[in-house]
Amino acid sequence: AQRVTQPEKLLSVFKGAPVELKCNYSYSGSPELFWYVQYSRQRLQLLLRHISRESIKGFTADLNKGETSFHLKKPFAQEEDSAMYYCALITSGSRLTFGEGTQLTVNP
Amino acid sequence: DTGVSQDPRHKITKRGQNVTFRCDPISEHNRLYWYRQTLGQGPEFLTYFQNEAQLEKSRLLSDRFSAERPKGSFSTLEIQRTEQGDSAMYLCASSLVELGKGEQYFGPGTRLTVT
């Protein structure tokens, strides 16, 4: 069965520090992974997808099939990065399977 | 605002009552999804439509839940004989097949409280 695990419910860093939000998955097929973000009082929105291999708002994520991980990284965190981050996996059809989320707080 | 809209935003109901939620997707999107989110958890998939066809349902969607998308535009999610365990945020999302799987646009959600 497919599963997404985000081991940290809360993560706190200082502005300018590097940040890494961990995501591990289990899926028997070929995975397609995503990071979604929810800023305070806003709706859930797509941040990035592994297929695009893009950098959005300074964030990158690399799919590591050997370690079944898709960690989200940013070298220098900003206060506006404070939000809830969800790692998600596309499985059968078009359903997204989400992790439990990590609340990132960037302190000034 | 041309994003996904949901109505109502909040609903308080007594156990045993029926409730219905509405979702209006982005107009050109052909796929529509329903998710449920409880406190401290990520969204959980309930069902999705492509145009008016309901293509997949989760085992979470018990017999008390029914979803429709009659004309391939807006969708409704009905919960019959509500239970306290149904209290959650109900999220709707839409997507365009051509954009690729996974790029889903979410609405603000309907928060259901069953007393």
Side-chain angles (χ1 to χ4, degrees), chain A residues 5-55:
Chain A
T5 303
Q6 294 180 249
E8 302 142 327
K9 280 200 174 292
L10 302 171
L11 184 61
S12 183
V13 300
F14 285 102
K15 176 182 173 182
V19 62
E20 181 179 55
L21 290 85
K22 291 183 166 51
C23 171
N24 290 90
Y25 68 91
S26 62
Y27 181 53
S28 56
S30 183
E32 289 187 55
L33 286 134
F34 307 83
W35 278 97
Y36 275 78
V37 61
Q38 187 166 26
Y39 301 101
S40 179
R41 294 188 173 82
Q42 295 188 27
R43 58 189 69 188
L44 195 60
Q45 58 186 283
L46 178 65
L47 179 63
L48 55 80
R49 72 192 87 183
H50 91 270
I51 286 179
S52 302
R53 302 185 66 83
E54 58 200 344
S55 173

Side-chain angles (χ1 to χ4, degrees), chain B residues 48-75:
Chain B
Y48 93 94
F49 294 83
Q50 180 157 321
N51 301 314
E52 64 275 8
Q54 189 173 18
L55 296 188
E56 190 173 355
K57 292 194 291 187
S58 163
R59 284 175 292 179
L60 291 175
L61 213 64
S62 75
D63 291 346
R64 297 185 296 105
F65 288 69
S66 62
E68 295 183 343
R69 194 182 184 199
K71 296 182 180 179
S73 56
F74 74 92
S75 174

Side-chain angles (χ1 to χ4, degrees), chain A residues 9 32 34 36 38 43-46 49 86 90-101, chain B residues 1 4 31 33 35 37 40-43 45 48 56-58 99 101-104 106-108:
Chain A
K9 280 200 174 292
E32 289 187 55
F34 307 83
Y36 275 78
Q38 187 166 26
R43 58 189 69 188
L44 195 60
Q45 58 186 283
L46 178 65
R49 72 192 87 183
Y86 294 98
I90 274 278
T91 57
S92 61
S94 290
R95 67 163 67 187
L96 281 167
T97 297
F98 287 88
E100 294 185 349
Chain B
D1 185 0
V4 178
R31 285 190 172 169
Y33 312 79
Y35 293 85
Q37 186 173 24
Q41 303 294 317
F45 172 83
Y48 93 94
E56 190 173 355
K57 292 194 291 187
S58 163
L99 289 176
K101 296 183 292 185
E103 185 169 349
Q104 298 180 12
F106 283 80

